Amino acid sequence: MNSQTFRRHARLPRTVVTVSAVALALVAVSACGSDSSSTSAASGKSGTTDFKVVLPWYADAEGGGFFAAKSQGLYGDQKLDVTLQSGGPQVSATQLVAAGRAQIGFADAAGVVQAQQQGIPIVAIGALYQDNPVGVMTHADSGITSFDDMDGKTWVTQTGQLGPAWVKKKTGIDFSTQVYQGSIANFLKKDSLVQQGWPTNEAYQAEKAGVKVDFIPFSDSGYNPYNDVFFTSESYLKSHRKELTAFLAASMQGWQDYMGDVSVAKTANAAILKANDQQTSESVWYAWDKQRKYVVAGDGKKQLGTMTADRWNTLIDQMKQLGQLKSSTPKASDLYDSSLLPKVAAPAALPAAPDGSY
C-alpha cells in the first residue's frame, strides 16, 4: 500500500507520545516563565478568541462534528475563531497542548492516564466515542467469530495498544503478534491473520478490496476506555473555563447535527474533502455512517461527550492489572472534568447515508 492510500484510509489508534519530546517542551515553557494562557487567549477577528484544535487524525469524518460546528458558524456564535489543525502520526497534540500552542488535543483515555503518569499536565474534558471502536477484524469466511476462536492465530497489532493484552488476560487465549504499520495488505492475502483496526477505516479498505470481514471491538472483552477524548492543559482549564465551555457547547451541537442531519453532514463532508484531498467522498460517508453508533452508545444517548468516574476507575484498575501504572495509582477526579459539557443529547434518529454515497 502506498503512502497516499495509507493517508486516505488507514489510521493507527492514537497513544500519547513518549515523554521525551513533551517534557522538553514543558521545560522550555517553564524556563520562559509562561503558561498556556499567554498564547491561547489571543484576540481573534471581530472580538473573538483564537482557539486551536488538533484533530484526532488527518481531516476526515472522525472530526466531522467539528467541521459541522465551524461550517454552521457555531464557533463564531460563541466568539471563538477556531482553527482545525490536522493531526496524524507526525503531529504531537500532547506536546502542542502542554506547551500552550493549541487548546484541544485528542487521545484515548489510557493515553491521558499515561501522560499524567509521565508528568504531562493534561486533563480530559469530554469523550467522543462512548463505545471504543478500536478492535480486530477477521475474514468472514475464516470461521472466526469470537476472541476464543483467535487462540493461536497471528494478530497484526499496534505497539502499545492495550486491547490485545487485556484480551489475553481476560480470555486466557494466546497468540503471536506482528507490528501493524498502516497497511492491511498481508491481512488481505492471508485469511488466518487477525487485523487490528477501526470499523471506519481498515474495514472500508477491506471492503473496497473485495474482502468481506467480521469486526469485533476490544470492548467485547470488557476493555472499553473512552476514545477520542478531548484534553486540554491543566493551566488552560483553570484560566479559561469560559472559552472551553463555549467550545464544548458549539462542538457537541455540531456533532448532534452532523450525525442526525444529512444536509449538515453534506456541507461538513465537503469541508473535510477540501481540507484533505487524500480522502474520497465514499470513504468519508462510509466513516460518517459506521462511527455514529459508537458516539451515541451508552450514556452518549442522553449527553454527547459525557464521562463518568466509574468508567475511569475501571480503566485505572485494568491498567493496574496489566502493569501499566508506573507510579502511584491516579485518582479519576484528577484525570477528567466533565463539568463544562453541555446537555446535548444524541440525535433522535440516525438517518441513512445518501443513496450511492459509498
Side-chain angles (χ1 to χ4, degrees):
M1 181 177 297
N2 61 39
S3 60
Q4 185 181 54
T5 305
F6 168 74
R7 288 187 62 201
R8 179 174 293 167
H9 303 307
R11 44 105 68 240
L12 296 174
R14 287 169 310 285
T15 54
V16 170
V17 297
T18 55
V19 68
S20 56
V22 178
L24 289 173
L26 293 175
V27 169
V29 170
S30 298
C32 293
S34 62
D35 66 11
S36 62
S37 64
S38 63
T39 57
S40 55
S43 295
K45 55 188 176 182
S46 303
T48 59
T49 299
D50 289 334
F51 198 98
K52 181 177 287 186
V53 177
V54 183
L55 292 168
W57 195 240
Y58 301 107
D60 62 9
E62 193 179 345
F66 308 112
F67 282 93
K70 190 172 177 69
S71 63
Q72 292 184 98
L74 300 182
Y75 292 129
D77 291 345
Q78 294 286 349
K79 304 300 182 184
L80 296 177
D81 186 9
V82 172
T83 297
L84 300 177
Q85 176 181 328
S86 290
Q90 304 304 318
V91 178
S92 171
T94 311
Q95 180 177 350
L96 292 172
V97 170
R101 294 182 307 211
Q103 284 63 63
I104 297 291
F106 294 85
D108 65 6
V112 174
V113 176
Q114 291 163 345
Q116 286 205 6
Q117 291 270 295
Q118 296 169 349
I120 304 169
I122 61 172
V123 181
I125 59 171
L128 181 62
Y129 293 120
Q130 297 294 302
D131 188 8
N132 194 323
V134 180
V136 291
M137 62 183 183
T138 60
H139 285 250
D141 59 3
S142 67
I144 300 173
T145 60
S146 68
F147 287 122
D148 287 339
D149 294 334
M150 301 176 198
D151 188 25
K153 302 295 184 180
T154 298
W155 288 33
V156 185
T157 65
Q158 184 200 19
T159 302
Q161 172 58 239
L162 300 183
W166 182 257
V167 170
K168 279 189 176 183
K169 182 175 183 62
K170 183 70 173 181
T171 66
I173 69 171
D174 196 17
F175 48 83
S176 58
T177 60
Q178 294 178 4
V179 176
Y180 178 37
Q181 297 180 331
S183 171
I184 66 167
N186 288 339
F187 170 79
L188 294 176
K189 294 183 292 186
K190 190 172 183 179
D191 63 8
S192 62
L193 286 178
V194 174
Q195 174 69 57
Q196 182 185 315
W198 286 60
T200 55
N201 293 276
E202 284 76 9
Y204 176 78
Q205 293 178 63
E207 182 174 307
K208 295 300 288 185
V211 176
K212 293 183 179 181
V213 298
D214 291 323
F215 189 89
I216 303 176
F218 292 133
S219 60
D220 280 7
S221 73
Y223 181 75
N224 193 21
Y226 294 119
N227 210 341
D228 275 13
V229 174
F230 314 170
F231 65 78
T232 190
S233 67
E234 290 180 357
S235 61
Y236 195 79
L237 178 59
K238 291 177 181 177
S239 59
H240 291 86
R241 295 181 69 86
K242 178 180 178 181
E243 289 84 355
L244 289 169
T245 299
F247 167 74
L248 290 171
S251 297
M252 294 301 94
Q253 187 61 55
W255 272 103
Q256 184 193 66
D257 296 343
Y258 183 64
M259 294 187 294
D261 188 330
V262 172
S263 64
V264 171
K266 286 181 177 178
T267 301
N269 287 348
I272 290 169
L273 292 170
K274 185 177 180 180
N276 181 6
D277 62 7
Q278 300 302 310
Q279 286 282 324
T280 67
S281 178
E282 291 80 7
S283 67
V284 173
W285 277 110
Y286 184 94
W288 171 83
D289 192 17
K290 302 302 182 182
Q291 72 180 356
R292 292 178 295 169
K293 69 177 183 178
Y294 298 96
V295 178
V296 305
D299 296 331
K301 290 183 177 69
K302 294 184 178 180
Q303 184 180 21
L304 295 176
T306 191
M307 299 178 291
T308 68
D310 285 346
R311 287 282 297 275
W312 281 97
N313 281 324
T314 295
L315 173 62
I316 291 168
D317 180 65
Q318 289 174 328
M319 293 182 71
K320 189 173 183 179
Q321 291 185 54
L322 293 174
Q324 293 296 313
L325 299 182
K326 305 304 181 184
S327 57
S328 59
T329 302
K331 295 180 180 178
S333 58
D334 292 333
L335 296 169
Y336 83 103
D337 182 344
S338 61
S339 66
L340 307 184
L341 283 165
K343 300 293 184 180
V344 176
L350 299 178
D355 289 341
S357 58
Y358 69 86

